[in-house]
Every structure is written in C-alpha cells, then in structure tokens.
Amino acid sequence: MSRRSGILEFAVLGLLRESPMHGYELRKRLNTSLGVFRAFSYGTLYPCLKALVANGWLTEETGGSPELASLTNRRAKIVYRLTAEGKSHFEELLAHFGPDAWEDEHFGVRFAFFGQTSRDVRMRVLEGRRSRLEERLEKMRTSLARSRERLDDYTLELQRHGMESVEREVRWLNGLIESERAGRDQRAVDPAEQHQKDTSGDAGGLPRRRGGSRPDPSDDTTT
C-alpha cells in the first residue's frame, strides 16, 4: 500500500466512524475538512472504498427508496458504514504511528483526528512534527546564509517568508505540547486540591476556548 493510499484509508475510516455517508458526501468532507485531499477525485476514492469493503471494514447499504430510484431513472445512492472490524482497525491505526505521521501531508490528517487519539500518541506526533520542522528550519537558515549574496531581493524575500511560516508552526506546536503536558500534569494533582483550583477559577494548564469552555483534560482514551 502506498503512503498516499494509506492516509486516505485512515481518513475515510475516521470520517465514517463519525457517521455513515455516501460517496459524494464523503468526498466533500475530505475536501473541506482535510485540505490535503482537495485535488483528489472519485477515481481515487472509490477504489479505496471498494478495498475497505473487501477487507470487511465497511459495508455498502442502499440509501433512499429503490422504488423512487426506478421512477426517476436514477441509481440509488450507496451509503458506506463502518463495521465493528473497521472500528477496531481504525483504533489500531490511531495507536500506531511512525515518521510519516509528522510529514506535511500526513500530519494534518492525523491532527484532524486528535480528539479520538490517546494523549501519549498525540504527544509523540506533536513532538515528532516539531523535531522535523526544527531540522527543516536549520537547513533553510544554512542555505540562506550561503546563498544570500547571490539572491535578488524577491527571491530572498520568498525564502524569508518560508522560514517565517515554519517558525510560526513551531511556535504553534510548542503551545500545543505545553497544553498537553499541563493536562497530563493536572491528572496527577490531588482531587481535593484540584477541586479547590477549579472552584477558584484556575484553568488547570489547558487553554480556555472561546466562550469560556475548555476541553476535558482527563479524556485521553479512544472512544
């Protein structure tokens, strides 16, 4: 299996874990929610779906009324549903990761399903991604220092822009990693002490979301 098809399989299983979908709806979700798939086509999606069905991880169900489909001369839509085996397989994929998980294309997809991923795996993926970007940033700085005198102003500005983009993502990752660590540390606090902090308005290390709510730091299991 290629790296591209592997991450597509992961994304399809993750989206279908949320709810059953037909092919058009699934493709739309892949396009809008996971930007890495904006350029892919039905010709890429349907072989993936067929393979997942053949493996027993998905089932195909006819959506809508067959009678109405025959009257309108349209084919009934096929709805894809995750099986128990498919859910188990997706949970295995969530728990395992490697260097691919922090590459540009794969990281965004993995991050989209962090809400279903255990805290330990989230930390490893975030730290791996940060390490990869720090290596890239060092290479960019070295290359810029060597070639600065030979570059025109526009090319130089473009390289600086690229470096700034990487630096911003590293800062973003630093914030996420600190939040994960704060949540992990919060779990080790004495319950009576934690209750006192909560009632006094202490956020417990995790950043508050807009509207005053914040994620539950104790939720580190896959549902």
Side-chain angles (χ1 to χ4, degrees):
M1 179 183 295
S2 69
R3 292 168 58 183
R4 177 75 173 181
S5 61
I7 197 62
L8 177 58
E9 172 189 298
F10 177 85
V12 167
L13 293 174
L15 290 175
L16 291 177
R17 187 183 183 186
E18 299 173 2
S19 64
M21 300 181 203
H22 54 74
Y24 175 79
E25 182 182 6
L26 184 57
R27 181 173 181 264
K28 185 176 180 181
R29 286 290 307 278
L30 288 165
N31 285 339
T32 57
S33 301
L34 305 175
V36 67
F37 296 112
R38 288 194 183 102
F40 91 118
S41 65
Y42 285 112
T44 303
L45 175 60
Y46 280 103
C48 175
L49 291 171
K50 293 297 182 183
L52 294 176
V53 170
N55 286 330
W57 296 329
L58 301 182
T59 59
E60 293 179 321
E61 302 173 359
T62 302
S65 167
E67 294 80 6
L68 179 60
S70 63
L71 288 174
T72 58
N73 201 27
R74 291 183 178 181
R75 295 178 58 187
K77 291 181 178 179
I78 301 299
V79 175
Y80 296 91
R81 183 183 300 273
L82 197 65
T83 64
E85 292 80 6
K87 180 179 179 181
S88 177
H89 178 62
F90 179 65
E91 290 172 352
E92 291 176 2
L93 294 176
L94 282 175
H96 293 85
F97 62 92
D100 285 353
W102 41 81
E103 296 295 345
D104 292 347
E105 185 174 88
H106 288 206
F107 173 74
V109 178
R110 288 299 301 243
F111 189 83
F113 296 102
F114 261 24
Q116 305 176 50
T117 305
S118 70
R119 189 185 304 277
D120 288 344
V121 173
R122 292 198 303 263
M123 281 290 291
R124 289 179 179 272
V125 173
L126 289 172
E127 290 174 340
R129 174 65 174 173
R130 181 177 63 180
S131 177
R132 182 58 49 86
L133 289 182
E134 287 174 340
E135 292 174 1
R136 184 183 302 173
L137 191 58
E138 183 60 29
K139 290 179 180 179
M140 293 173 74
R141 287 170 175 162
T142 301
S143 175
L144 182 61
R146 291 175 177 173
S147 59
R148 181 188 299 271
E149 299 301 325
R150 300 193 302 272
L151 300 177
D152 61 59
D153 291 343
Y154 295 102
T155 304
L156 186 61
E157 191 61 30
L158 183 62
Q159 292 204 9
R160 286 173 176 165
H161 174 68
M163 288 177 55
E164 289 171 359
S165 297
V166 176
E167 289 169 345
R168 281 195 300 271
E169 186 171 348
V170 170
R171 290 194 296 269
W172 174 67
L173 290 167
N174 285 337
L176 290 171
I177 290 169
E178 289 305 311
S179 294
E180 292 287 347
R181 286 175 178 165
R184 181 183 59 194
D185 294 343
Q186 187 183 43
R187 296 179 63 206
V189 175
D190 180 78
E193 180 183 347
Q194 183 59 49
H195 175 71
Q196 183 178 2
K197 286 185 176 182
D198 290 341
T199 54
S200 64
D202 191 330
L206 287 178
R208 291 186 178 274
R209 296 177 178 175
R210 293 181 181 177
S213 64
R214 61 182 175 89
D216 182 357
S218 66
D219 183 9
D220 64 347
T221 59
T222 302
T223 57

